[in-house]
């Protein structure tokens, strides 16, 4: 009786075997070329989702493939385990963050193991453990001593209910993302890392990251935001003060007619003190502070402003310019002040029209004349300067340097380079994070904790009341300490570090996760493994996480810990997993299991199918990996995640696609079971005996499939087309006329094809292939089997005839190998003797190649 494919039984068997044999444990081996494969480690939120599954499956295929190609592969996994959700759980459910986190880690680890991922679990790390964060405390002390870590006052988003600082992205429509309280601004002393010291290197090294998507590099460059321009000083009309602006358009300074200031800038309050408009301006400022900063800069957002009853002087025209506070200038950009040139900046144009402010054209286009009375939009292109004093008639591009030099000569400005990047604020007023190793003493001031006293351990005995503020600040046994310099009473810093700090160096710790000596990184190990050869994660981390990781690597290099300049050689940003939404009028969005026969199970109302969107709990368009594994097995889930779309594209979820993947694996299983008794004692074809007809074609298809799959994985990570190629080979075996049991020649060709199918699928579906590999008589772990090489001669197609045309008329024919390169075929066509007399003395415009059919040479 034919044995049935039982994925759950097979997968458990091989997961246990891999663990017992420790075949994925990595060790430094100087005789082998290393390959460090890493997916972005997860936050232990409770359960892995399909997005995780796709990400980690992509990584696992590459890790297994590289291992089969002889590389010494490091493929670790850990947990980004500090963060606000754990603290929220403590408040809402009365469970300690550590307990909540560790329970989630245990469950998610079980899920990852059930997917068959080839992780070296001996290197597992969790960032909330003192064994991990003690070293980032050490790095903090190093940076503090070098001036790379410092404390300063800054305006921050402040949630009065949570009593903590919020990042801009945590403020939604002026409200706290966690508790929906109205967010205000507060001036607080905060700790910063001086990432700006590395700004030029961070920017310039983008050019070296040839293995990164250009989209990500563009985002990195834009975030760093290097601009060449000019600082211009606008004296106040009253008094000796001045306003400094940075602009890249100093060629338009003669057209500056008013000044715009970011509403949140302290200068606004200074300019209105004691004036009748003070209350109105303060009200406007508070209104603007509640607006989304990103939306404020949008061209579609309403331009708002208020006159500050103050003027400055244009340094070149000497005319008074009214000063406005506005919502579309951001304090963090430049100086927070903008010279407004309404004729040559669209936002300024709209603002001037709204407030009836003067406009002066200072750049005329080459082909027409602008008139302020008929202009419907700002002119922002190049042109000739007018109304610009001594610079009239000059090309605007040339005027940039000339005007900058002139402003410097009269003491009203100078050429300048500016960056959008700001220093990294790491202070967080919350409990579940790494303590900042600093002590405050009335006698000695700010005192770093001695390195010998590390780690500063986050106490577990704190009480979570749900009240605002960090419970750490209320826990006196932690707060109260003694000064390490004078021995007097002192206080500990109660802010904790931004969780981006933990994720900015974990990939380096994976190289020696149990190394307990300073600096927590074994230099020999990191020299061998770093940089990461392939990093895989979502596009949502394209800016901050990657930028901070690059900074950390450079910082540790400069402290002599690392030798590499960049942490990640190659980067793959996988697409999202999307699924259609379902909802009914009475119950809103519905989970898939809440819909039966097109109706809501709760009210029998019609379930309306919505558009496909990124899977999320809020939209309830999620699929439980546990359910899929239980029903189909992990190999089916892996196949679908890889086959449905190339990794960089969004994956459209399809239940039918999952079923199709399951049918394919059953088909592979059946073809092996069907031939099992006949091929078990037959050796694979070695090509020594001549083959004809179907056997020759099958062997050619086998080697073509090896070539196709190898190239698809090696060059593009296009697992979907690789799987498709294997499917074609499976079909070819099915279509073969079954040879007799004694026909060893034919069976050897079939055995070679079946073994090739198994080995090529091994990185993709490791459980079923390990089982089949054993059933056909092998004792070696498939994970240790070398990747097959294709025979170029065997893979070559038969010769084909190519028609050669000149201007559409047949002039010759030639015979070439069917897999000949298209460019070579066009070259051969041009050299053909019969064709020569039809193109001699004529200009060849182009050669058009129709694959495997014809070449048309177009001449005149």
């Amino acid at each position: 009786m034919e044995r049935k494919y039982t994925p759950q039984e097979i997968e458990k068997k091989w997961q246990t075997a891999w663990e017992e044999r420790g075949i994925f444990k990595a060790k430094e081996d100087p005789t082998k070329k290393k390959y460090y494969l890493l997916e972005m480690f997860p936050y232990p939120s409770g359960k892995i989702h399909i997005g995780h599954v796709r990400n980690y499956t992509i990584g696992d295929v590459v890790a297994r493939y590289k291992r089969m190609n002889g590389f010494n592969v490091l493929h670790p996994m850990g947990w980004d385990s500090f963060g606000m959700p754990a603290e929220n759980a403590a408040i809402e459910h009365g469970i300690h963050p550590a307990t909540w986190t560790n329970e989630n880690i245990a469950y998610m680890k079980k899920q990852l193991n059930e997917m068959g991922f080839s992780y070296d679990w001996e290197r597992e790390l969790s960032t909330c453990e003192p064994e991990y964060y003690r070293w980032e405390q050490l790095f903090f002390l190093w940076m503090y001593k070098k001036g790379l870590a410092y404390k300063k006052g800054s305006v921050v988003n402040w949630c009065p209910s949570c009593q903590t600082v919020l990042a801009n992205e945590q403020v939604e429509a002026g409200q706290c993302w966690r508790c929906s309280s109205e967010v205000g601004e507060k001036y607080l002393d905060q700790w910063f890392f001086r990432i700006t010291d590395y700004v030029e290197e961070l920017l310039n090294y983008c050019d070296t990251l040839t293995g990164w998507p250009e989209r990500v590099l563009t985002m990195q460059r834009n975030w760093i935001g290097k601009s060449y321009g000019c600082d211009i000083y606008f004296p106040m009309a009253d008094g000796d003060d001045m306003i400094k602006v940075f602009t890249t358009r100093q060629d338009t300074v003669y057209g500056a007619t008013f000044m715009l200031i970011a509403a949140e800038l302290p200068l606004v309050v200074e300019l209105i003190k004691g004036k009748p408009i003070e209350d109105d301006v303060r009200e406007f400022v508070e209104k603007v502070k509640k607006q989304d900063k990103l939306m404020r800069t949008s061209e579609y957002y309403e331009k708002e402003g208020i006159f500050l009853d103050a003027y400055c002087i244009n340094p070149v025209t000497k005319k008074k310019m009214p000063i406005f506070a506005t919502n579309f200038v951001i304090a963090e950009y430049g100086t927070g002040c903008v010279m407004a040139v309404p004729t040559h900046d669209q936002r300024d144009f709209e603002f001037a029209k709204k407030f009836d402010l003067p406009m002066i054209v200072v750049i005329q286009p080459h082909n027409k004349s602008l008139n302020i009375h008929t202009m419907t939009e700002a002119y922002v292109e190049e042109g000739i300067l007018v109304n610009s004093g001594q610079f009239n008639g000059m090309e605007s591009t040339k005027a940039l340097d000339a005007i900058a030099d002139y402003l410097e000569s009269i003491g009203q400005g100078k050429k300048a380079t500016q960056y959008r990047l700001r220093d990294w604020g790491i202070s967080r007023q919350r409990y579940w994070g790494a303590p900042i190793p600093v002590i405050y003493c009335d006698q000695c001031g700010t005192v770093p904790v001695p390195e010998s006293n590390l780690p500063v351990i986050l106490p577990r005995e704190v009480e979570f009341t749900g009240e605002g503020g960090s419970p750490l600040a209320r826990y006196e046994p932690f707060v109260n300490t003694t000064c390490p310099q004078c021995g007097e009473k002192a206080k500990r810093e109660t802010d904790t570090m931004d969780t981006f700090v933990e994720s900015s160096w974990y990939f380096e710790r994976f190289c020696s996760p149990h190394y307990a000596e300073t600096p927590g990184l074994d230099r020999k190990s990191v020299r061998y493994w770093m940089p990461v050869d392939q990093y895989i994660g979502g596009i949502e981390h394209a800016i901050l996480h990657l930028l901070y990781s690059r900074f950390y690597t450079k910082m540790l290099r400069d402290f002599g810990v690392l030798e590499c300049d960049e942490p990640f050689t190659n980067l793959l940003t996988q697409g999202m997993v999307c699924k259609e939404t379902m909802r009914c009028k009475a119950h809103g969005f519905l989970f898939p299991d809440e819909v039966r026969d097109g109706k809501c199970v709760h009210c029998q109302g019609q379930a309306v199918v919505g558009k496909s969107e990124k899977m999320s709990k809020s939209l309830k368009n999620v699929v439980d990996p546990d359910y899929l594994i239980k029903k189909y097995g992990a190999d089916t889930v892996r196949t679908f995640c890889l086959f449905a779309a190339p990794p960089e594209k969004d994956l459209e979820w399809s239940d039918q696609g999952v079923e199709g993947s399951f049918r394919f694996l059953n088909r592979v299983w059946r073809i092996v079971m069907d031939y099992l008794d006949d091929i078990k004692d037959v050796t694979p074809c070695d090509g020594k005996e001549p083959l004809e007809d179907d056997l020759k074609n099958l062997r050619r298809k086998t080697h073509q499939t090896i070539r196709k799959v190898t190239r698809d994985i090696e060059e593009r990570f296009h697992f979907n087309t690789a799987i498709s190629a294997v499917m074609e080979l499976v079909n070819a075996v099915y279509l073969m006329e079954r040879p007799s049991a004694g026909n060893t020649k034919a069976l050897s060709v079939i055995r070679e094809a079946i073994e090739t199918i198994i080995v090529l699928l091994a990185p993709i579906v490791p459980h079923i292939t390990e089982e089949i590999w054993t059933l056909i008589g092998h004792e070696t772990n498939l994970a240790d089997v070398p990747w097959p090489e294709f025979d170029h001669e065997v893979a070559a197609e038969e010769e084909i005839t190519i028609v050669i045309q000149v201007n559409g008329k047949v002039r010759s024919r030639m015979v070439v190998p069917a897999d000949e390169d298209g460019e070579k075929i066009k070259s051969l066509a041009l050299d053909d003797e019969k064709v020569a007399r039809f193109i001699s003395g004529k200009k060849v415009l182009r050669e058009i190649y129709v694959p495997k059919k014809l070449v048309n040479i177009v001449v005149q």
Side-chain angles (χ1 to χ4, degrees):
M1 183 177 174
E2 183 181 303
R3 181 178 163 186
K4 234 181 131 183
Y5 173 45
T6 52
Q8 292 77 12
E9 175 189 331
I10 291 169
E11 289 169 5
K12 184 64 179 173
K13 168 187 171 181
W14 286 104
Q15 288 160 13
T16 302
W18 295 330
E19 184 179 0
E20 288 176 352
R21 296 171 191 173
I23 61 176
F24 302 123
K25 293 177 184 177
K27 295 180 180 177
E28 291 90 56
D29 184 350
T31 66
K32 275 187 167 185
K33 188 175 181 181
K34 67 93 179 179
Y35 193 86
Y36 185 177
L37 185 287
L38 184 65
E39 307 97 23
M40 295 180 185
F41 67 166
Y43 178 78
S45 56
K47 296 180 76 173
I48 64 171
H49 52 69
I50 289 295
H52 287 130
V53 170
R54 187 188 189 199
N55 184 10
Y56 302 150
T57 300
I58 291 167
D60 195 56
V61 173
V62 178
R64 288 175 178 270
Y65 169 79
K66 289 294 183 180
R67 194 169 188 273
M68 295 174 77
N69 275 277
F71 285 86
N72 186 21
V73 175
L74 172 59
H75 188 205
M77 177 52 70
W79 312 96
D80 191 11
S81 48
F82 272 140
M84 196 66 108
E87 208 161 330
N88 292 344
I91 296 169
E92 294 169 18
H93 307 298
I95 182 172
H96 195 280
T99 304
W100 184 85
T101 299
N102 290 328
E103 287 177 355
N104 289 347
I105 286 174
Y107 188 79
M108 291 175 72
K109 183 176 179 179
K110 170 180 168 290
Q111 288 183 296
L112 294 177
N113 280 325
E114 287 174 348
M115 285 300 303
F117 297 138
S118 58
Y119 295 129
D120 179 357
W121 283 111
E122 286 196 356
R123 292 175 182 263
E124 180 183 14
L125 58 82
S126 177
T127 61
C128 69
E129 297 300 331
E131 292 79 15
Y132 182 84
Y133 65 74
R134 70 169 294 178
W135 303 115
E136 73 185 48
Q137 290 176 341
L138 174 67
F139 303 150
F140 177 96
L141 296 178
W142 287 0
M143 285 192 277
Y144 179 76
K145 291 172 185 174
K146 195 177 178 181
L148 289 173
Y150 66 95
K151 196 171 191 180
K152 72 168 184 177
S154 67
V155 177
V156 295
N157 299 314
W158 180 259
C159 175
S161 175
C162 300
Q163 290 283 294
T164 192
V165 171
L166 300 177
N168 289 339
E169 58 269 23
Q170 294 173 320
V171 181
E172 300 170 351
Q175 295 182 328
C176 173
W177 67 285
R178 185 177 72 162
C179 69
S180 298
S181 296
E182 195 171 278
V183 173
E185 290 192 335
K186 191 171 184 178
Y187 191 83
L188 285 180
D189 283 341
Q190 301 277 287
W191 283 99
F192 289 83
F193 286 158
R194 208 179 297 274
I195 190 174
T196 52
D197 274 16
Y198 287 82
V199 65
E200 276 295 324
E201 187 178 351
L202 289 167
L203 180 62
N204 293 336
Y205 270 68
C206 284
D207 295 335
T208 71
L209 299 173
T210 55
W212 286 35
E214 189 56 42
R215 177 187 176 192
V216 174
L217 292 174
T218 298
M219 294 167 77
Q220 291 264 308
R221 292 185 182 106
N222 289 345
W223 190 262
I224 293 168
K226 185 175 185 178
S227 299
Y228 297 98
C230 186
D231 287 335
I232 305 179
Y233 314 130
F234 291 77
M236 293 298 297
D238 299 319
D240 299 325
D241 294 332
M242 61 87 182
I243 294 175
K244 183 173 83 169
V245 305
F246 171 80
T247 180
T248 58
R249 292 300 308 274
Q250 59 268 27
D251 55 326
T252 65
V253 66
Y254 282 86
T257 57
F258 55 95
M259 179 67 65
L260 298 173
I261 301 179
E264 63 268 37
L265 211 64
L267 177 60
V268 171
V269 177
E270 293 176 23
L271 292 176
I272 59 167
K273 279 182 183 176
K275 295 180 179 178
I277 57 163
E278 184 171 355
D279 290 342
D280 291 340
V281 173
R282 287 185 180 274
E283 184 179 338
F284 174 78
V285 169
E286 291 305 313
K287 175 186 173 184
V288 172
K289 285 179 179 179
K290 294 171 186 174
Q291 295 174 351
D292 183 275
K293 288 188 177 180
L294 185 61
M295 290 301 297
R296 283 167 55 186
T297 61
S298 168
E299 60 182 295
Y300 305 109
Y301 206 72
E302 183 184 357
K303 312 298 183 289
E304 297 179 294
I306 188 169
F307 179 48
L308 301 182
D309 194 16
Y311 295 86
C312 61
I313 304 296
N314 185 314
V316 293
T317 66
K318 306 304 180 184
K319 292 181 180 178
K320 290 175 68 173
M321 298 167 52
I323 303 173
F324 289 79
T326 183
N327 68 334
F328 64 93
V329 177
I330 305 297
E332 289 83 0
Y333 296 173
T335 63
C337 302
V338 172
M339 67 172 198
V341 185
T343 49
H344 304 294
D345 181 278
Q346 186 59 31
R347 297 190 307 170
D348 298 347
F349 181 87
E350 294 171 18
F351 194 86
K353 286 289 187 182
K354 182 174 182 177
F355 288 88
D356 194 24
L357 295 165
M359 298 196 294
I360 303 172
V361 174
V362 292
I363 297 178
Q364 290 283 8
H366 293 280
N367 57 352
K368 63 179 179 178
S369 182
L370 299 176
N371 187 312
I372 61 171
H373 302 295
T374 58
M375 289 178 70
T376 57
E377 62 181 1
Y379 177 73
V380 297
E381 306 300 328
E382 298 173 8
I384 303 296
L385 263 62
V386 297
N387 299 319
S388 299
Q390 68 195 64
F391 303 101
N392 284 342
M394 186 177 287
E395 290 280 351
S396 58
T397 51
K398 294 180 179 178
L400 288 168
D401 280 338
I403 291 178
D405 291 339
Y406 173 68
L407 287 166
E408 188 162 5
S409 72
I410 62 173
Q412 296 297 317
K414 62 179 180 179
K415 289 180 181 177
T417 302
Q418 192 150 58
Y419 301 89
R420 180 174 184 248
L421 181 66
R422 296 289 181 264
D423 281 340
W424 174 9
I426 66 157
S427 291
R428 297 295 181 267
Q429 292 71 39
R430 61 177 180 236
Y431 164 73
W432 194 235
I436 296 175
V438 166
I439 291 170
Y440 301 107
C441 172
D442 289 340
Q443 304 296 323
C444 307
T446 301
V447 181
V449 172
E451 291 183 14
S452 58
N453 290 352
L454 296 181
V456 176
I457 294 178
L458 185 70
R460 297 288 174 96
E461 302 82 8
V462 300
E463 182 182 2
F464 291 88
T465 63
E467 298 174 4
S470 167
L472 191 60
R474 297 190 295 269
Y475 187 63
E476 292 191 3
F478 175 81
V479 175
N480 296 324
T481 185
T482 55
C483 174
Q485 289 186 1
C486 69
E488 296 296 320
K489 292 181 179 179
K491 302 282 186 182
R492 288 193 187 277
E493 171 65 75
T494 58
D495 283 358
T496 53
M497 292 194 217
D498 177 13
T499 52
F500 271 124
V501 176
E502 282 84 60
S503 61
S504 293
W505 71 285
Y506 76 103
F507 39 87
E508 279 133 4
R509 179 65 174 169
F510 270 140
C511 297
S512 51
H514 308 299
Y515 192 70
E517 298 176 28
T518 300
L521 296 171
D522 180 6
R523 287 174 170 84
K524 181 181 176 182
S525 296
V526 293
R527 187 185 308 120
Y528 179 80
W529 290 114
M530 285 298 292
V532 175
D533 294 282
Q534 182 66 60
Y535 199 37
I536 303 173
I539 192 70
E540 65 272 18
H541 302 296
I543 299 177
L544 293 183
H545 164 59
L546 293 176
L547 193 66
Y548 294 156
S549 297
R550 296 178 63 212
F551 159 68
Y552 237 75
T553 295
K554 294 174 189 299
M555 176 270 294
L556 289 174
R557 175 204 62 195
D558 290 349
F559 280 114
V561 179
L562 304 176
E563 294 182 3
C564 57
D565 298 312
E566 291 285 344
F568 315 118
T569 302
N570 297 290
L571 174 69
L572 171 66
T573 52
Q574 87 282 356
M576 300 182 295
V577 180
C578 304
K579 190 179 188 301
E580 62 190 16
T581 58
M582 304 284 286
R583 65 185 305 166
C584 79
K585 288 184 178 179
H587 295 88
F589 288 112
L590 302 170
F591 287 109
D593 60 3
E594 294 178 309
V595 178
R596 194 171 299 127
D597 298 326
K599 293 185 177 180
C600 172
V601 297
H602 306 296
C603 65
Q604 297 306 305
Q606 187 66 37
V608 179
V609 179
K611 66 179 181 178
S612 180
E613 299 191 53
K614 178 185 176 182
M615 282 189 181
S616 70
K617 291 179 182 177
S618 60
L619 296 177
K620 298 188 176 180
N621 60 339
V622 293
V623 179
D624 184 4
D626 289 351
Y627 165 78
L628 295 171
I629 293 171
K630 190 174 291 185
K631 184 174 181 180
Y632 300 106
D635 282 341
T636 292
V637 181
R638 291 170 66 114
T639 303
F640 174 75
C641 285
L642 296 168
F643 184 61
E648 72 277 7
K649 302 292 185 183
D650 289 348
L651 183 153
E652 194 67 41
W653 187 262
S654 164
D655 294 334
Q656 293 77 18
V658 178
E659 289 278 0
S661 298
F662 185 60
R663 286 196 300 272
F664 167 62
L665 295 185
N666 272 281
R667 202 156 188 256
V668 172
W669 180 269
R670 285 195 304 272
I671 195 72
V672 176
M673 293 302 107
D674 192 33
Y675 276 104
L676 185 59
D677 291 337
D678 291 342
I679 67 171
K680 200 165 187 180
D681 298 320
V682 175
T683 56
C685 178
D686 57 11
K688 292 180 179 178
E689 288 190 65
L691 302 173
E692 296 178 354
D693 301 329
D694 289 348
L695 291 179
K696 185 176 183 180
N697 291 336
L698 179 59
R699 189 153 196 260
R700 181 188 303 119
K701 186 67 175 176
T702 297
H703 284 261
Q704 288 175 342
T705 305
I706 296 171
R707 179 178 62 190
K708 169 70 172 166
V709 173
T710 302
R711 289 176 178 175
D712 282 348
I713 295 178
E714 187 71 41
E715 297 173 10
R716 306 185 301 162
F717 289 173
H718 278 199
F719 312 113
N720 56 326
T721 53
I723 294 171
S724 181
V726 177
M727 288 177 172
E728 290 182 15
L729 181 57
V730 172
N731 289 339
V733 176
Y734 264 103
L735 291 172
M736 283 288 294
E737 184 177 340
R738 188 182 184 97
S740 63
N743 188 347
T744 55
K745 181 178 178 180
L747 290 173
S748 71
V749 175
I750 291 172
R751 168 134 192 166
E752 182 188 23
I754 286 176
E755 284 203 0
T756 298
I757 290 167
I758 297 168
V759 177
L760 295 182
L761 285 176
I764 296 164
V765 284
H767 308 91
I768 185 175
T769 49
E770 283 276 19
E771 184 69 11
I772 293 173
W773 191 249
T774 304
L775 290 174
I776 64 174
H778 289 286
E779 296 181 359
T780 307
N781 273 322
L782 187 52
D784 294 324
V785 171
W787 188 257
E789 295 183 3
F790 66 92
D791 186 312
H792 289 266
E793 290 186 11
V794 175
E797 288 279 6
E798 300 292 339
E799 293 180 326
I800 58 174
T801 300
I802 297 292
V803 172
I804 308 175
Q805 297 176 340
V806 177
N807 288 346
K809 293 183 179 181
V810 177
R811 299 303 185 188
S812 185
R813 288 176 173 83
M814 63 181 178
V815 177
V816 298
D819 61 347
E820 185 64 87
D821 178 72
E823 291 301 317
K824 180 67 178 294
I825 290 174
K826 286 192 284 186
S827 176
L828 291 170
L830 289 169
D831 293 338
D832 186 271
E833 288 183 9
K834 293 180 182 178
V835 170
R837 63 191 179 95
F838 293 102
I839 64 174
S840 178
K842 296 178 182 179
K843 182 180 180 181
V844 177
L845 298 179
R846 60 185 180 277
E847 309 97 43
I848 302 168
Y849 174 54
V850 179
K852 298 186 184 293
K853 292 183 179 179
L854 62 86
V855 175
N856 183 22
I857 302 169
V858 181
V859 298
Q860 72 173 14

